[in-house]
Amino acid sequence: MQVTLLGTGDTTGTPTAGCSCDTCEYAREHDVERTRYSVHVHNERTGESLLVDASPDFRYQFLERDVDLPDAAVITHIHFDHLDGLGNAYRLLSSLPVYAADETDPNTSESVADTVERRFDYLDAITAHPQTPLEPFETCGFEVTLLPVDHPPLVCYGLVVEDPETGAKLSLSGDTSFGIPESSRERLRGADLLLADGIVPAHMSEHHPYGGKHEDDSGVPRTFGTKHMTIEGAKSLGEELNAADTRVVHVSHYVPADEAFEDPLAVDGERYEL
């Protein structure tokens, strides 16, 4: 299993357009970036590739990285920075099965799979394949499981991608607070690589109108506001789940420049062989 981090940023990316903050300036000067979130998972055994979330930066990401176009995709939730890249299937892909949860969101009255089908009904290449959370399904030679997480007000999912032949395991937290249900935590546990959402350092929680929550024993917030983990929360999750390696993703440009590119915060283009 070859995992390529196509996009490791949040909804505006780093550098952010029109921003001259120290972090964005550092990124420009050192030619590093975090485009909107997306992960490419290649199966060397079958030659197939799975795309986890379709970034609006799809075209740029696939031009920039030496990876194959996807044979299938999984969409974790309907925020534009994870969904809108599916429009790139137009005149580019002849077929793209898109797997997404079948659970109806009370806030939208439709599931993620329903939204994919409705939003992209004009693209013949895209077919929505509804999947029940916590029940494994097969695609691209992998066993994949969608896992409910905590990203209010919308339903959102992390996932596990496993190779049944080699035993390689990739876990992705999805966009989430630290309040991930125990049933999902148990499935995420023991990964060779965990990609964990960590949007800002815990000390920045004082700037959020809702502050921070899910404090650790030292009082450090592991959730920033209500929707995302802090960087400390992402690291803590990796330790709790006994991940062999944890990379922090969905990182914002609000992270101070002297912290923004420290290990284990990921940047675009990182590649892992599991």
Side-chain angles (χ1 to χ4, degrees), residues 8-72:
T8 56
D10 71 339
T11 189
T12 65
T14 302
T16 293
C19 182
S20 58
C21 74
D22 289 346
T23 300
C24 288
E25 288 300 315
Y26 180 98
R28 293 186 185 98
E29 291 168 6
H30 292 81
D31 195 26
V32 293
E33 62 184 330
R34 295 184 172 116
T35 56
R36 273 75 68 87
Y37 182 75
S38 190
V39 179
H40 186 277
V41 189
H42 181 69
N43 189 331
E44 296 100 327
R45 294 187 298 102
T46 68
E48 297 171 290
S49 295
L50 176 67
L51 183 67
V52 179
D53 284 340
S55 168
D57 298 311
F58 182 109
R59 176 181 177 275
Y60 174 77
Q61 291 171 347
F62 277 88
L63 287 172
E64 190 74 7
R65 309 301 166 197
D66 183 22
V67 293
D68 296 334
L69 289 170
D71 296 284

Side-chain angles (χ1 to χ4, degrees), residues 29-245:
E29 291 168 6
H30 292 81
D31 195 26
V32 293
E33 62 184 330
R34 295 184 172 116
T35 56
R36 273 75 68 87
Y37 182 75
S38 190
V39 179
H40 186 277
V41 189
H42 181 69
N43 189 331
E44 296 100 327
R45 294 187 298 102
T46 68
E48 297 171 290
S49 295
L50 176 67
L51 183 67
V52 179
D53 284 340
S55 168
D57 298 311
F58 182 109
R59 176 181 177 275
Y60 174 77
Q61 291 171 347
F62 277 88
L63 287 172
E64 190 74 7
R65 309 301 166 197
D66 183 22
V67 293
D68 296 334
L69 289 170
D71 296 284
V74 179
I75 299 296
T76 62
H77 66 296
I78 63 170
H79 280 152
F80 94 101
D81 52 325
H82 296 256
L83 175 66
D84 282 14
L86 288 179
N88 287 272
Y90 180 63
R91 296 199 313 198
L92 189 63
L93 301 170
S94 59
S95 175
L96 185 69
V98 179
Y99 299 90
D102 61 4
E103 177 184 16
T104 300
D105 188 332
N107 291 284
T108 64
S109 299
E110 60 184 15
S111 68
V112 177
D114 290 336
T115 301
V116 169
E117 186 171 29
R118 175 178 57 80
R119 285 278 306 278
F120 299 97
D121 63 349
Y122 65 95
L123 294 177
D124 292 338
I126 289 179
T127 53
H129 294 258
Q131 302 298 320
T132 301
L134 298 172
E135 294 186 7
F137 61 92
E138 293 184 6
T139 183
C140 297
F142 297 125
E143 185 177 272
V144 180
T145 309
L146 286 161
L147 306 170
V149 292
D150 181 44
H151 190 55
L154 299 175
V155 294
C156 185
Y157 306 88
L159 65 150
V160 168
V161 181
E162 297 179 90
D163 188 326
E165 296 292 327
T166 67
K169 180 175 181 178
L170 169 67
S171 291
L172 306 93
S173 75
D175 284 17
T176 184
S177 79
F178 193 74
I180 299 171
E182 186 55 41
S183 57
S184 297
R185 278 178 137 81
E186 187 56 38
R187 303 292 186 94
L188 293 166
R189 197 176 307 279
D192 298 294
L193 175 64
L194 170 68
L195 302 179
D197 168 24
I199 196 164
V200 293
H203 64 77
M204 297 193 73
S205 296
E206 64 185 73
H207 302 296
H208 196 287
Y210 295 115
K213 61 179 183 177
H214 298 121
E215 292 87 353
D216 63 16
D217 292 340
S218 300
V220 176
R222 290 178 287 189
T223 294
F224 175 71
T226 61
K227 296 182 180 183
H228 296 276
M229 286 187 285
T230 61
I231 292 167
E232 289 84 348
K235 293 177 182 178
S236 179
L237 183 70
E239 293 170 1
E240 178 185 319
L241 298 182
N242 196 30
D245 191 9

